[in-house]
Amino acid sequence: MAGIDTLPPLREVIATHGLSAKKALGQNFLLDLNLTAKIARLAGDMSGCDVLEIGPGPGGLTRGLLAEGAHRVLAIEKDARCLPALSEIAAAYPGRLEVVNGDALEVDPLAHLTPPIRIAANLPYNVGTELLVRWLTPDAWPPFWDSLTLMFQKEVAERIVAAPGSKAYGRLALLAQWRAEAEIVLTLPPGAFTPPPKVSSAVVHLTALPEPRYPADPKVLERVVAMAFNQRRKMLRAALRGLAPDIQDRLEASGIKPTDRAETVSLEQFCALARNIAAV
């Protein structure tokens, strides 16, 4: 017995199907089903939700999500070697698991799922940040998802929840905290994974806000933030001079000193600046 269901332990699954984590795919398998069930619980009540999972691998988190009551799970897996193991899970949970062999950057989840939708994933390291930015910057808000429960390298997780003035504060923190509540809910050591990565990992839970914390045009805000943090060591009047000929005046009108650096400026101030830039 595996504890959460009657399927074999994950080490046995991996041995049976000859699976090994591929560095090229950013894979690190989490084999402790108690941990995968805990991560699933951190995603909240899923009884009335469809769940999107990216990179399920041999299916540890998939099993946790289904055992914890997810109405339906869409698992997008690029590695075809994992499909037989995932098909065994689908057979154990009839009608509740759909597996798509494809690239998560190209698959439209709304073609397969019905809101309310939660996203839960041990994200492959090589696409995790790109996926998060996509989910945080849709054309319309609120987004198609209600919450994100995502595992990243701990350093990336800290960048998502960072406060102004901290070393980790930057573009990810601003994009996440502008439209969502974000918190680190679990930290895992390298030894929890097979093979062990070189760094610790952390699970971040993000809940979509009904509307952004402060008004701003998303594309303008993204441009301002990208330029500001692309040259972190420069004073903002130098880093942003290409945005407007009177950038110093616009900075001051937003409550920002022209000599400030990006890492000291709050989300509210960046949004004010985006509104001022949009008025150019």
Side-chain angles (χ1 to χ4, degrees):
M1 296 288 286
I4 63 171
D5 53 38
T6 57
L7 291 164
L10 284 172
R11 289 190 186 278
E12 186 177 321
V13 171
I14 285 175
T16 299
H17 296 286
L19 297 176
S20 58
K22 282 189 175 182
K23 187 175 181 181
L25 294 174
Q27 291 174 330
N28 294 94
F29 296 151
L30 185 59
L31 301 185
D32 186 334
L33 288 168
N34 291 319
L35 278 176
T36 58
K38 183 175 183 178
I39 294 168
R41 287 192 293 272
L42 290 170
D45 180 6
M46 296 174 288
S47 58
C49 296
D50 283 1
V51 179
L52 170 64
E53 183 188 5
I54 307 298
L61 180 57
T62 315
R63 289 165 64 174
L65 293 168
L66 291 164
E68 291 297 322
H71 175 256
R72 195 162 162 278
V73 175
L74 170 68
I76 302 175
E77 178 54 66
K78 189 174 184 178
D79 187 355
R81 299 177 307 148
C82 297
L83 299 183
L86 294 169
S87 68
E88 292 172 0
I89 302 172
Y93 292 93
R96 295 178 57 201
L97 173 62
E98 179 182 359
V99 180
V100 172
N101 182 203
D103 188 334
L105 296 171
E106 299 174 359
V107 176
D108 176 13
L110 289 177
H112 303 264
L113 300 175
T114 303
I117 296 168
R118 296 179 185 267
I119 301 177
N122 172 12
L123 288 173
Y125 283 165
N126 54 355
V127 296
T129 301
E130 182 175 353
L131 283 168
L132 175 62
V133 170
R134 286 192 182 193
W135 291 329
L136 291 171
T137 57
D139 291 335
W141 197 269
F144 74 87
W145 52 269
D146 287 357
S147 69
L148 310 173
T149 306
L150 307 172
M151 188 181 302
F152 297 95
Q153 294 178 3
K154 187 178 179 185
E155 178 186 350
V156 176
E158 289 172 341
R159 285 163 51 199
I160 295 168
V161 302
S166 65
K167 185 178 179 181
Y169 182 66
R171 175 173 175 252
L172 270 187
L174 286 155
L175 292 181
Q177 296 171 39
W178 181 45
R179 288 171 152 176
E181 293 281 0
E183 61 176 328
I184 292 176
V185 292
L186 183 66
T187 301
L188 296 172
F193 299 86
T194 299
K198 294 181 180 179
V199 296
S200 295
S201 300
V203 178
V204 182
H205 184 73
L206 300 100
T207 305
L209 296 171
E211 57 186 36
R213 292 183 193 278
Y214 309 104
D217 180 286
K219 295 192 183 313
V220 176
L221 180 62
E222 288 176 50
R223 186 179 174 207
V224 169
V225 169
M227 289 185 68
F229 284 96
N230 191 43
Q231 304 181 70
R232 297 177 70 103
R233 297 183 180 180
K234 282 193 174 184
M235 292 182 286
L236 281 174
R237 69 182 174 200
L240 300 177
R241 73 177 121 198
L243 287 174
D246 56 346
I247 190 61
Q248 180 159 324
D249 293 340
R250 293 181 185 275
L251 285 164
E252 291 174 346
S254 307
I256 303 169
K257 295 178 183 177
T259 53
D260 283 344
R261 290 176 170 78
E263 57 268 28
T264 67
V265 177
S266 71
L267 169 61
E268 184 175 10
Q269 289 172 316
F270 268 118
C271 289
L273 179 58
R275 293 195 299 273
N276 277 318
I277 296 297
V280 172

